[in-house]
Amino acid sequence: MKTLELVKVYSIPVKDERVRELITWYLRTLQKAIDVIWDNIKWEYRFPKLVRKSGKLVVITGLKIRVPAIPKNKVFKKMLRDMLMKDNPYASHWVDAVIRTAYSIMESWRKRYLKERARKIKPRVRRRFARCKTTLMKVDYQAKTIRITLRPGEYLTVSWRSTWFEHRVRGWIVGEVIIKDDRIIIPFKTSKEVEVKRVVGWDSNELTLDGYEPSIGFIHINLRPLQSMKIVYERKKAIAQSKGKKEVYEKYVARERNREKDFVNKLVAGLIRLLPNSIHVFEDLDKEDLVSRKRVKKSRRKRNARMPWRSIHRRISETALTVFVNPKNTSRTCPRCGYVVKTQVGRIFKCPRCGLEMNRQKVASVNIRKRYLEGRCKEGKPRMWGFPHSNDPEASMMVELWAGVTPNGWKPMIWAPMKGALKAMKPRVEGWHQLI
């Protein structure tokens, strides 16, 4: 049994001048808090560090770098709070909400700076919002209302009764709301127990999502329609941009975003129905590394930037159990004997030790699933292998399930059972049974 945390976010329109005044004060105070924290950052040196692994010295930190240390002691936080309280016309808990948001922004900048993805420039708040603490909210689940404290004795009340999503969040708990100029964004949370029946390993590729689960076999999710759609809109946007038509360009940007979102939603909905009560194991991909000029060729960078892997993974994690594993060597490791091939060219994986020949994407899906199961073994769980140790794999390795999204029509998933009987055979690229 696993506990699945579910979150749904909906917005309620609101028209109140007090909201705009609150957000204006919130942003001004938030930027002031960031300025004070920035001025009190201490820059410390981090020196190269060597660690011995498997009898060899490995460099953990290669260069001498300066690391920002954000002040977090109680004395500094009290000083910051007292300073912000001087010009505070609202409830005191709004200052606490500002301080927490400021620290969140600074921690996010620090992580990106250490990964060389952000410059040594003070963060600036540009979007208009105000994050409300739970101590400023009083939720009445019977009346389906939220009362937000603005000033002592002054409140803002919003209700989700008779909204289109009311039946979807019946029995759910309200989280911290975010206030915008024209709407209130409300997160609803709940949890449920899931009896896990299968573990599916997924390899994220340019045109497909390739999965493996022993009771099903290999699973292929077709992403070609999504790729084609994005290529078409790239050309349309380029033409509009070359002619200087900003409104047309923005229209195509919005259409591409909506169609991509629709495709991903349909894909995930069908995938959850096809594989219920499953743990989906993905590679922990870093999109910025995949589009880095230092590591990836120009032609490949553009193709990698086009695919919304993170969007698909995040959308699945909202409705199903997901796990992320290290993607290193998943397509270069033999799933049968564990041999790691130094260089791998082409789509076919060939193991020089045991002679296994298989599509690299299938090899990666098996290894991703196996890596998660081996991690559970280290935690004291029963040991499970992702691939048989024999020349004739089990019958499930010979089955392939082909699935995809129908962009036009209400059915998000189309698939059919395999034609013919199962037959054990030596794994190879050609000759696999296919679903149509």
Side-chain angles (χ1 to χ4, degrees), residues 8 10 144 160-172 188:
K8 292 184 178 180
Y10 299 100
K144 296 181 174 58
W160 72 89
R161 182 181 291 277
S162 301
T163 56
W164 65 272
F165 58 84
E166 178 184 358
H167 66 283
R168 296 189 176 185
V169 295
R170 190 173 290 113
W172 292 45
F188 294 90

Side-chain angles (χ1 to χ4, degrees), residues 323-376:
V323 179
F324 294 90
V325 298
N326 188 353
K328 185 178 181 180
N329 294 335
T330 52
S331 62
R332 297 198 294 116
T333 303
C334 178
R336 177 184 292 165
C337 65
Y339 183 81
V340 180
V341 180
K342 293 184 178 180
T343 57
Q344 186 68 45
V345 181
R347 296 184 178 181
I348 312 303
F349 174 86
K350 297 180 180 180
C351 180
R353 179 184 292 176
C354 66
L356 176 68
E357 294 185 11
M358 188 181 294
N359 188 291
R360 289 179 60 190
Q361 298 173 357
K362 296 175 182 177
V363 169
S365 63
V366 176
N367 285 329
I368 291 169
R369 180 179 184 272
K370 183 178 177 181
R371 184 163 294 180
Y372 165 70
L373 296 176
E374 287 180 343
R376 287 174 56 84

Side-chain angles (χ1 to χ4, degrees), residues 60-176:
I60 302 298
T61 305
L63 300 173
K64 176 184 175 181
I65 60 175
R66 295 187 70 186
V67 178
I70 299 175
K72 298 181 181 179
N73 58 78
K74 294 182 180 180
V75 176
F76 175 79
K77 289 185 177 181
K78 186 178 184 304
M79 180 274 296
L80 177 62
R81 188 178 190 275
D82 293 340
M83 183 183 63
L84 299 179
M85 283 293 295
K86 293 179 180 179
D87 301 326
N88 176 31
Y90 295 95
S92 59
H93 285 277
W94 281 109
V95 173
D96 298 330
V98 167
I99 294 174
R100 188 171 62 171
T101 306
Y103 270 98
S104 177
I105 293 173
M106 293 301 299
E107 287 291 344
S108 176
W109 168 83
R110 183 180 183 274
K111 290 180 181 179
R112 290 184 289 110
Y113 176 80
L114 294 178
K115 294 181 181 179
E116 298 181 355
R117 295 170 186 166
R119 293 182 296 173
K120 188 180 176 181
I121 299 176
K122 180 170 55 180
R124 294 287 181 182
V125 182
R126 303 186 185 278
R127 295 185 179 181
R128 291 182 57 82
F129 75 98
R131 186 178 294 275
C132 181
K133 288 183 62 179
T134 55
T135 52
L136 292 164
M137 301 164 42
K138 184 177 181 180
V139 183
D140 188 344
Y141 290 98
Q142 295 294 331
K144 296 181 174 58
T145 60
I146 303 174
R147 193 185 72 175
I148 301 174
T149 303
L150 300 179
R151 294 181 174 92
E154 184 179 346
Y155 307 99
L156 172 67
T157 303
V158 293
S159 173
W160 72 89
R161 182 181 291 277
S162 301
T163 56
W164 65 272
F165 58 84
E166 178 184 358
H167 66 283
R168 296 189 176 185
V169 295
R170 190 173 290 113
W172 292 45
I173 300 174
V174 175
E176 293 185 353

